[in-house]
Amino acid sequence: MKAFHCLVGLRQPLTRVAPAIRDRLPEIAPALDDVEIIRAVARVEQPCGGVKLVNEWRVNPKLPAALNGHITPDMLGWLDHADWSADLTHCRWRIEPYFMAEAISCEGETRFEPAMGGRGTRATFEGRLDIDASALMRVPAAWRRPAAAAIELLIGTLIPKNFRNTADAAAGLLD
């Protein structure tokens, strides 16, 4: 299991940043490296005022040549299941990848707090990624656990970076 954590400070108030991240991901996508499109596939307003969202992310990263033919474009994406609090200070999320979904577990939470006397936002993004090594059937058995650890390290580094870029792009929309 790989735990990850990211703290982002933004020069926009929480009341503008959090709604932008929740509701404007399709507008943010063009500003993100390797992201082709983000689209909302489900949105349910909760009686408590919260919102449950499912966004589809389609990406096109540069992959190592060794993965050519093993990973096809239809595998490069995920569903982002997000459960936002009514006051926009908290979001629990879970990622459902299109590739090895049965072997990958990724979930966490994002918290938004006022910063800089209310003129800014402190966004804390944390989660955990777990890859079931036994599901790596194409990898020799002796290499499955190290391969899973390497994948967790790689993805566990990319996810916080992606959040930081998303938060920065959201703040950029508001400038």
Side-chain angles (χ1 to χ4, degrees):
M1 180 183 77
K2 168 78 173 159
F4 51 84
H5 176 94
C6 177
L7 176 65
V8 180
L10 300 163
R11 294 179 185 209
Q12 296 285 343
L14 181 154
T15 54
R16 296 187 71 205
V17 168
I21 291 175
R22 184 187 70 184
D23 301 328
R24 298 177 69 183
L25 285 177
E27 295 174 63
I28 293 169
L32 302 175
D33 292 338
D34 303 327
V35 174
E36 290 183 345
I37 189 169
I38 304 170
R39 67 182 185 97
V41 295
R43 180 183 180 106
V44 177
E45 307 284 337
Q46 300 295 299
C48 64
V51 175
K52 289 186 183 247
L53 286 169
V54 179
N55 287 301
E56 179 185 35
W57 292 62
R58 301 300 303 186
V59 297
N60 188 17
K62 293 181 178 107
L63 296 174
L67 296 177
N68 286 341
H70 298 287
I71 297 178
T72 58
D74 61 309
M75 297 173 169
L76 299 174
W78 60 87
L79 294 175
D80 166 14
H81 300 262
D83 187 359
W84 284 83
S85 65
D87 64 2
L88 296 170
T89 61
H90 190 101
C91 175
R92 288 184 170 180
W93 50 264
R94 174 178 61 84
I95 302 299
E96 181 182 343
Y98 292 155
F99 177 68
M100 294 178 47
E102 69 287 349
I104 298 174
S105 172
C106 184
E107 59 186 28
E109 62 183 14
T110 306
R111 292 183 310 279
F112 297 91
E113 303 167 89
M116 299 186 285
R119 297 183 317 271
T121 302
R122 173 186 164 125
T124 305
F125 179 82
E126 50 193 8
R128 61 190 168 278
L129 171 68
D130 189 24
I131 297 178
D132 179 4
S134 67
L136 302 174
M137 301 307 288
R138 293 183 183 181
V139 176
W143 287 93
R144 288 181 188 154
R145 188 168 290 287
I151 294 169
E152 286 176 356
L153 180 63
L154 176 65
I155 295 174
T157 302
L158 293 176
I159 292 171
K161 178 183 169 194
N162 189 35
F163 175 74
R164 178 178 304 279
N165 291 342
T166 300
D168 287 343
L173 282 178
L174 304 173
D175 287 336

